[in-house]
Amino acid sequence: MQILIQLALSLVGGLLMSRLAKKLNLPAVTAYLITGLLLGPYCIGALHLPDLGFSSTAEVASLDIVSQVALGFIAFTIGNEFRLEQLKHMGKQAITVGILQAVITTALVDAALVALHFINPALISISSAITLGAIAAATAPAATLMVVRQYKADGPLTKLLLLVVAIDDAVGLVLFSASFGVAVALESGSISLLTVLVEPLVEIALSLGLGAAAGWLLFRVEKYFFSRSKRLSISIGFVLLTVGLSMMEFEVAGIHCGFSLLLVCMMTGTVFCNICDFSEELMARVDGWTAPLFVLFFVLSGAELNLKILSNPVVLLVGLVYIVFRSLGKYSGAYFSCAVTKCSDKIKKHLGITLLPQAGVALGMALTAQQLADGEVVRSVVLFSVLVYELVGPALTKRSLIAAGEIQMEGKTNARQQNAPKAPMGRL
C-alpha cells in the first residue's frame, strides 16, 4: 500500500507541478525534480506523515528498479537515433565531438582540482582529483531526451546532441576506468593494467555484443506478430530483459566482466531500428507508453538529491571548482571539436551548454570511487554537482535549443504543435 501511494503521489504531483513550471517557462523535467525534492526525506518526508512522501533515502532506494527500467527505455529510445542514413551524414562528427569534448573536460577538471590540492592538500587528494576529472566527462542522457521530446526539438543541433550524448557514455566509461585505476595505484603503490585498460574495454565489447544480439532477436520475434499492441508488448518485454541481463556480473580468467545498462539498451535500439522496416511506428507507440515511467524516474531522482551536503563547506568549495571547470570544459570542448569537424556556428555556440546535465552515470561512478581514501569527498562533490546540474541543466538546454532555432517559442500555438513532424513518425 505504501509503495503504491508513494508512486501515485510522485506521478500526480510531478504532473501538477509541471503546470506551474509551464507558467514559469521552465521544462517539465525541472518540475519533476523539484517535486521529488519536496516529497523527499529533507522536506515533506522529514515530517514522517504516514505514506506521505519518502521519509528516508532507503525508501527511495527501494524503488530503484523503476529508475533502472526508465534508464533502459531512455537508452533504447536514443539508440533509435543511430540510423544508418543519419550516421552517414553525422557519424564522423558525432564520434569526434563525443570523444574530444569528454577528454578536454576531464583535462580541465583534472588540472583545476590538482592545482587546488597543491594550494591546500587538506581539501582533496590527487587520487580523488583525477577521479573527479574523469567523472566530469559523463553527461546525463535522460534530462536531454526529455527536453527534446517535450518541445519536439528538431534540427542539426538536436540530432548531433542525441548522438554525442549516447557516445559520451562509452567514452566516459573508459576515462573513468583509466583514471580510477591510476588513482588506486597512487594510493597502493602498484598499477594494474587489467583494471585500467582491459576491464573497461571488455565491458564495452560485452555491452555492445549483448545489445546487438537483443536487437536482432527482438526483430525476429516481432515478425511473428502483426497486432500493434502485441508488437508493443514484445518491445517492452525485450527492454525489460536487456535491463535485467545488463545487471549481471561475473569473472573470466581473473577479469571482472559486467555490462553498461545504457550501452546495452542503446545498442538494442540501434540494431532494431536499422533492420526493422516498421520500427518508427513502433517507437512512437513505445514513447507513449513510457511517458508516466519517465515522470516517475525524475521525481525519484529529485527525492534522492541529498540536501545535507550543502552544510559542508569543503564540499561546497571543491564542488564549486568542479562545476565551474566542468562547465568550461563542456563548452570549450564542444566548441573546439565542432570547429575541427566544421559544424555550423549555431552548433558550435550552443552544443556545449546542452551537454551540462549530469546524473545517474556520474553517481554510479562516484559509488565506485568511494573505495578511495577520501572517496566520500568524491561522492559528496558529485551529489552536489548533480543537485545543481539537474535543476539548472534542463532549462539551459531548452534555452540553447531555442536560440539555435530548433524549438519555437510558445505563442498562440504551443511548441509541441509547431515542431510536430508533418507525417507521423516515431523518431524524436
Side-chain angles (χ1 to χ4, degrees):
M1 181 186 72
Q2 182 182 14
I3 291 176
L4 290 176
I5 292 175
Q6 288 173 337
L7 290 176
L9 286 174
S10 299
L11 183 57
V12 176
L15 291 172
L16 289 176
M17 185 67 75
S18 69
R19 305 310 299 170
L20 176 61
K22 184 177 181 180
K23 293 184 181 297
L24 298 175
N25 204 29
L26 293 172
V29 177
T30 304
Y32 303 149
L33 290 165
I34 292 175
T35 302
L37 274 174
L38 294 176
L39 292 174
Y42 304 103
C43 293
I44 294 176
L47 301 176
H48 297 287
L49 298 175
D51 303 322
L52 186 60
F54 302 95
S55 59
S56 68
T57 54
E59 284 190 7
V60 184
S62 68
L63 297 173
D64 185 59
I65 188 63
V66 176
S67 298
Q68 295 298 313
V69 170
L71 277 176
F73 278 101
I74 288 167
F76 183 68
T77 301
I78 291 178
N80 187 51
E81 292 299 311
F82 283 83
R83 292 180 179 269
L84 290 178
E85 65 269 19
Q86 187 164 312
L87 290 176
K88 289 177 182 177
H89 297 291
M90 306 186 75
K92 184 178 179 181
Q93 282 183 333
I95 294 172
T96 304
V97 173
I99 294 174
L100 279 181
Q101 58 83 24
V103 172
I104 290 172
T105 301
T106 294
L108 279 178
V109 176
D110 275 346
L113 294 178
V114 169
L116 185 63
H117 164 78
F118 285 112
I119 294 172
N120 188 346
L123 291 176
I124 188 171
S125 66
I126 290 183
S127 58
S128 293
I130 63 175
T131 300
L132 276 170
I135 294 175
T139 300
T144 302
L145 177 64
M146 285 296 287
V147 172
V148 170
R149 287 181 59 176
Q150 180 183 354
Y151 298 103
K152 290 291 187 292
D154 192 26
L157 173 59
T158 301
K159 290 182 171 65
L160 181 61
L161 169 62
L162 292 174
L163 293 176
V164 169
V165 166
I167 293 169
D168 190 81
D169 183 50
V171 178
L173 176 63
V174 173
L175 288 173
F176 174 75
S177 297
S179 297
F180 183 64
V182 172
V184 171
L186 288 174
E187 292 190 346
S188 65
S190 62
I191 188 168
S192 170
L193 292 178
L194 191 68
T195 303
V196 175
L197 295 177
V198 177
E199 290 186 354
L201 295 178
V202 168
E203 181 171 333
I204 291 173
L206 287 176
S207 299
L208 295 179
L210 176 59
W216 178 83
L217 188 58
L218 172 59
F219 169 64
R220 301 299 300 177
V221 173
E222 293 278 16
K223 291 184 68 175
Y224 288 104
F225 299 90
F226 301 96
S227 164
R228 292 180 177 179
S229 60
K230 289 180 179 178
R231 282 179 170 175
L232 172 63
S233 299
I234 292 295
S235 300
I236 293 170
F238 262 79
V239 175
L240 294 176
L241 176 63
T242 52
V243 170
L245 291 176
S246 67
M247 295 178 181
M248 292 191 306
E249 294 182 358
F250 53 93
E251 280 196 12
V252 176
I255 299 175
H256 177 267
C257 301
F259 300 90
S260 165
L261 183 152
L262 291 176
L263 283 181
V264 172
C265 294
M266 282 180 193
M267 193 62 178
T268 301
T270 299
V271 171
F272 177 69
C273 77
N274 280 290
I275 63 176
C276 179
D277 55 359
F278 53 83
S279 62
E280 290 201 26
E281 178 188 357
L282 187 57
M283 288 302 300
R285 296 177 68 82
V286 171
D287 288 347
W289 184 87
T290 55
L293 183 63
F294 291 171
V295 175
L296 288 174
F297 170 76
F298 284 104
V299 173
L300 293 175
S301 296
E304 286 181 320
L305 296 177
N306 189 348
L307 299 183
K308 282 186 177 180
I309 58 175
L310 299 178
S311 63
N312 188 334
V314 173
V315 171
L316 293 181
L317 175 59
V318 177
L320 183 62
V321 173
Y322 174 87
I323 289 171
V324 169
F325 281 89
R326 179 181 181 271
S327 302
L328 179 62
K330 284 294 180 182
Y331 185 82
S332 61
Y335 191 95
F336 173 74
S337 55
C338 286
V340 169
T341 55
K342 299 180 180 180
C343 295
S344 68
D345 289 339
K346 283 185 178 180
I347 293 178
K348 284 192 294 185
K349 184 177 179 181
H350 299 293
L351 179 63
I353 300 297
T354 63
L355 295 174
L356 290 181
Q358 189 174 46
V361 176
L363 290 174
M365 293 176 177
L367 286 175
T368 302
Q370 281 189 288
Q371 300 173 32
L372 299 174
D374 59 345
E376 191 59 38
V377 173
V378 175
R379 183 171 181 271
S380 297
V381 169
V382 173
L383 285 170
F384 174 55
S385 72
V386 167
L387 176 63
V388 174
Y389 281 126
E390 283 296 89
L391 293 176
V392 177
L396 293 177
T397 298
K398 177 190 174 185
R399 290 188 62 181
S400 294
L401 291 174
I402 289 174
E406 300 189 8
I407 292 178
Q408 301 299 320
M409 293 295 291
E410 294 192 4
K412 293 183 180 180
T413 58
N414 61 36
R416 179 180 294 275
Q417 293 171 335
Q418 289 177 326
N419 287 285
K422 294 180 181 179
M425 295 176 65
R427 296 176 63 186
L428 298 175

